[in-house]
Amino acid sequence: MYGLLNRAIQELVTIRAGRTGWEAVRERSGASGIEFASMQAYPDAMTYDLVSAASHVLERRPSEVLRALGRYWISFTRSEGFVALIETSGRDLRDLLLNLDTLHARLGLTMPDMLPPRFEVEDRPEGVLHVHYYSQREGLSPLVVGLLEGLSDLFETPVHVSQVREREGPEDCDVFAVVPKKRDAFT
């Protein structure tokens, strides 16, 4: 994964546990002395180790750390200069969700080693959206929940996000229900 995600973990941990908390995460994960470069690819195992160490230091389950990271990711990437990319990918939450693959394709132009996930959005009754998430990486569904929640905050569209199906294999997908808290949220 790219250093940008590792830097987001660093900032999130520092916000929640201070600089000493981040140093404890670095030590526990084996990343002592590493300064993450945003546009450099790092082994996926390093990111998973950072999440595991953050879980220990923050005294939260890894799934809780990933969900918080996903939610934080939206404001973090905006502050890192990706605001235009987000703003041009959709005028509202539904529009952005429909354009997630396009957004990732544009990111791939500057991040050639990126292994982006793939998304499909399905309209369901009562204004509910089902977001199908395909990824080569396992265990990141809590991150996706947080990302969807962060995007709903960004677009000021209150929703409830839940995982309604877990993938059963590498070619399968996780499915998330994005349920509007207001009847006309996606119309």
Side-chain angles (χ1 to χ4, degrees):
M1 291 183 226
Y2 272 84
L4 193 63
L5 186 60
N6 296 339
R7 288 191 50 240
I9 295 169
Q10 175 181 348
E11 282 198 19
L12 181 65
V13 170
T14 302
I15 288 167
R16 302 232 172 143
R19 185 79 184 149
T20 57
W22 169 243
E23 291 305 324
V25 166
R26 286 176 66 177
E27 181 70 31
R28 186 173 187 86
S29 69
S32 289
I34 297 174
E35 295 298 327
F36 296 107
S38 294
M39 303 306 278
Q40 181 178 328
Y42 294 87
D44 288 357
M46 182 175 288
T47 303
Y48 287 115
D49 289 346
L50 288 169
V51 169
S52 177
S55 170
H56 177 79
V57 169
L58 298 174
E59 298 178 343
R60 297 282 183 248
R61 293 188 313 265
S63 62
E64 292 174 303
V65 172
L66 284 168
R67 185 173 180 173
L69 177 62
R71 197 166 200 150
Y72 180 68
W73 178 252
I74 303 306
S75 62
F76 174 78
T77 53
R78 290 183 79 211
S79 71
E80 290 290 311
F82 291 89
V83 66
L85 183 62
I86 294 170
E87 289 176 349
T88 60
S89 294
R91 65 187 185 320
D92 56 33
L93 178 60
R94 183 178 189 283
D95 206 25
L96 181 72
L97 294 177
L98 290 169
N99 287 307
L100 283 174
D101 286 348
T102 303
L103 183 149
H104 283 104
R106 290 179 15 213
L107 277 173
L109 297 173
T110 58
M111 299 176 165
D113 295 325
M114 186 172 75
L115 297 172
R118 188 170 57 82
F119 294 90
E120 294 174 5
V121 178
E122 173 188 3
D123 285 308
R124 304 288 294 182
E126 311 261 335
V128 173
L129 299 176
H130 275 191
V131 177
H132 298 246
Y133 164 70
Y134 298 86
S135 177
Q136 296 176 30
R137 297 178 173 102
E138 292 186 36
L140 297 179
S141 56
L143 179 75
V144 176
V145 170
L147 287 167
L148 294 169
E149 291 170 339
L151 287 170
S152 83
D153 292 342
L154 176 66
F155 286 103
E156 299 177 354
T157 305
V159 299
H160 173 72
V161 179
S162 62
Q163 186 169 359
V164 295
R165 184 171 146 233
E166 290 186 31
R167 76 184 200 166
E168 295 180 8
E171 302 302 316
D172 198 10
C173 68
D174 293 297
V175 180
F176 304 91
V178 180
V179 181
K181 292 184 179 177
K182 295 179 183 175
R183 272 191 129 357
D184 60 349
F186 298 128
T187 58

